[in-house]
Amino acid sequence: MKAPTPLGLRALRSLAFPASTTSRRCYAAVPERAQTQPPPPPRTFKTPPPPPEPQWADSTTSPTTPTPPPPPPQAQKPPPAPNFRPTPSGPSLRKKRDNDEDFTPYPLTRPIGIPHPPDPMENMGLDKRSLSQRRDDFHDYNKHLERRASMTKQIAKPYFRDWSNMRFHKGKVFVAPERLFRADVALWFPNFFGRTLLKKSAVEKRMGVTDGYGGLGRGTTEVLRNKISVVSLVGNDWAQRQVDSFCGKTQNPELHALLAEHKGLAQRVEVNWETNWLKWWILRLFAVRNLRKSRAVDEQGRYFLVRRGFSEIMKEAIGVLNDKGGYVYLVDGQCRIRWAGSAEAEEGEKQSLVEGVRRLVKESRSPPKPRLNPVEQKEKLEAAVLDVMDEPAGPQKVAIGAGQ
């Protein structure tokens, strides 16, 4: 059977659906839609109250109902986790108040410093590797990873972060301890290598002090050994004003009187460090002359200008967490840090520094008492007890025992 042609389909459609007399559509033939009624409101169901319990006249006639089991003990909720707030930086740092708790300094409760005695020749900041060693390090992938990690850490640190933190308690990192650190647990002050204010002239020869090591400078360890030293560490003029609140002649005259009384035993050492080479040359050309005029010749030999060798590990070891602040350290004759202060001096910190100097002067003049190691002391006590127990009984003790 053949399929109908389009003309045949059109004829069949005209027979099944005859066309209207007019060309307009008759809307009267369209049945009207029933108007939709609004939905009925939801029915409210009330929960019926529970049936009343039957009142039994006699307790003996009441039916025995099983006692419901006690409810399971509710598990105690764990305490809420402490809310650790991240250290703010960037725009969030500017929203912090000057007295925010995140930047409140706390007293220094443990010794600070490096774990080994310093050496006058370390931290010179010079690369002493040979050409072959530099070539091997250049081809070492692990060295590249270490260098990349250090560079990433330097880039991640905002340039103005330290200046922004200066408005929180004026850059104070920690509060100075009221007492000295014990000598047996104190850590060492690192060696700083730099130039002093002494001129290379006959004054150096007369004093017997030279800016040695090939004219590169001197180490602070040579000056600190066998002396009680009040060491100040600054990096700018703002830090110098903060240090003067601890050691200034007008701010702390009692300290200068004590240093003058014990001259030759107690001294003050100043370290001025600057890592920027442009600022370093400005300091060398314009500021050194004024620094020499304001200090005596012996004080010039104890003022160090340091450019290299002050690494991030050294900063963290001695508590230099803000490069723009000033720091003061009390160092004994073995180069151990016995006291430390930061930023501007608070009430009581200047007096604790003076008392610390007096205590160290007294310790240096009195012979040191040997401090026994607890392990060695215990071993000696056990050996003495064993000797007494293993000692044979004498004739007198035997006779006394026989008479009883």
Side-chain angles (χ1 to χ4, degrees):
M1 181 177 178
K2 293 179 70 175
T5 62
L7 185 59
L9 288 175
R10 189 179 300 175
L12 291 175
R13 189 180 302 163
S14 62
L15 292 175
F17 304 100
S20 58
T21 57
T22 60
S23 61
R24 294 184 180 181
R25 184 178 181 183
C26 182
Y27 289 95
V30 179
E32 295 183 359
R33 294 182 180 179
Q35 295 182 359
T36 57
Q37 298 181 356
R43 299 178 60 183
T44 57
F45 296 94
K46 294 184 179 180
T47 305
E53 297 182 359
Q55 301 291 335
W56 304 98
D58 191 3
S59 61
T60 57
T61 60
S62 62
T64 58
T65 57
T67 305
Q74 297 181 357
Q76 296 182 357
K77 296 181 179 180
N83 185 16
F84 293 103
R85 292 180 291 179
T87 303
S89 61
S92 59
L93 179 62
R94 302 185 186 96
K95 300 178 183 178
K96 293 290 182 179
R97 301 186 304 271
D98 295 352
N99 57 350
D100 194 88
E101 295 181 358
D102 290 345
F103 298 92
T104 301
Y106 295 97
L108 198 60
T109 57
R110 62 174 184 85
I112 57 176
I114 59 177
H116 57 84
D119 186 83
M121 294 293 293
E122 65 182 358
N123 302 327
M124 296 179 63
L126 301 178
D127 193 357
K128 299 181 179 180
R129 296 177 300 171
S130 61
L131 292 178
S132 60
Q133 291 176 346
R134 296 185 184 186
R135 180 195 59 196
D136 296 340
D137 293 342
F138 182 77
H139 292 285
D140 190 352
Y141 184 69
N142 295 327
K143 296 288 184 179
H144 282 279
L145 293 179
E146 294 177 2
R147 179 63 176 168
R148 189 184 304 173
S150 63
M151 293 176 64
T152 304
K153 188 176 181 181
Q154 293 177 2
I155 295 173
K157 178 182 177 181
Y159 181 78
F160 294 101
R161 187 187 67 178
D162 293 335
W163 284 118
S164 300
N165 290 341
M166 290 296 290
R167 66 187 181 94
F168 301 107
H169 303 276
K170 298 182 180 180
K172 199 171 190 64
V173 179
F174 54 83
V175 180
E178 297 181 357
R179 299 180 180 180
L180 299 180
F181 298 127
R182 277 173 28 197
D184 55 342
V185 298
L187 301 177
W188 285 270
F189 188 78
N191 180 69
F192 286 87
F193 194 89
R195 293 179 179 271
T196 61
L197 296 179
L198 288 174
K199 293 183 179 180
K200 296 183 178 181
S201 59
V203 178
E204 296 182 358
K205 298 180 181 179
R206 185 172 68 252
M207 293 184 60
V209 178
T210 57
D211 223 2
Y213 305 123
L216 297 175
R218 297 179 61 199
T220 56
T221 306
E222 296 180 352
V223 181
L224 298 178
R225 281 177 179 172
N226 303 323
K227 297 288 183 66
I228 299 169
S229 306
V230 180
V231 184
S232 60
L233 185 62
V234 300
N236 50 71
D237 190 50
W238 176 273
Q240 184 63 48
R241 288 196 296 268
Q242 291 184 340
V243 166
D244 290 341
S245 64
F246 283 95
C247 312
K249 292 183 179 180
T250 57
Q251 292 86 346
N252 198 349
E254 190 176 0
L255 174 63
H256 285 266
L258 190 61
L259 295 178
E261 180 182 357
H262 303 283
K263 188 176 182 179
L265 179 61
Q267 62 181 359
R268 184 184 175 188
V269 179
E270 301 174 80
V271 178
N272 190 344
W273 64 281
E274 181 57 64
T275 56
N276 191 316
W277 66 271
L278 181 60
K279 295 181 180 179
W280 166 260
W281 282 109
I282 293 175
L283 179 66
R284 288 284 308 274
L285 295 176
F286 300 102
V288 171
R289 184 177 302 175
N290 296 330
L291 292 174
R292 286 197 185 114
K293 290 180 180 179
S294 59
R295 286 162 178 81
V297 177
D298 56 342
E299 295 177 349
Q300 295 178 11
R302 299 193 298 267
Y303 193 101
F304 291 83
L305 301 173
V306 179
R307 180 189 170 191
R308 305 186 185 95
F310 195 17
S311 62
E312 296 294 332
I313 298 177
M314 293 171 57
K315 292 179 182 178
E316 295 179 1
I318 62 178
V320 181
L321 304 182
N322 192 331
D323 296 350
K324 310 306 179 184
Y327 301 86
V328 180
Y329 304 91
L330 182 57
V331 183
D332 62 4
Q334 281 78 32
C335 301
R336 294 174 297 194
I337 300 176
R338 306 293 297 277
W339 183 93
S342 66
E344 291 189 2
E346 294 183 354
E347 184 178 358
E349 289 185 330
K350 292 188 289 186
Q351 188 62 30
S352 63
L353 174 59
V354 174
E355 294 297 333
V357 174
R358 289 176 179 170
R359 178 68 180 273
L360 290 181
V361 169
K362 186 177 179 180
E363 287 183 1
S364 62
R365 292 182 175 178
S366 60
K369 296 181 180 179
R371 191 179 184 89
L372 296 178
N373 191 358
V375 178
E376 297 179 357
Q377 188 175 4
K378 183 179 179 180
E379 292 178 354
K380 290 182 180 180
L381 182 60
E382 291 178 353
V385 172
L386 291 176
D387 291 343
V388 173
M389 294 179 63
D390 295 341
E391 184 179 1
Q396 295 181 355
K397 295 182 180 180
V398 175
I400 294 174
Q404 293 178 352

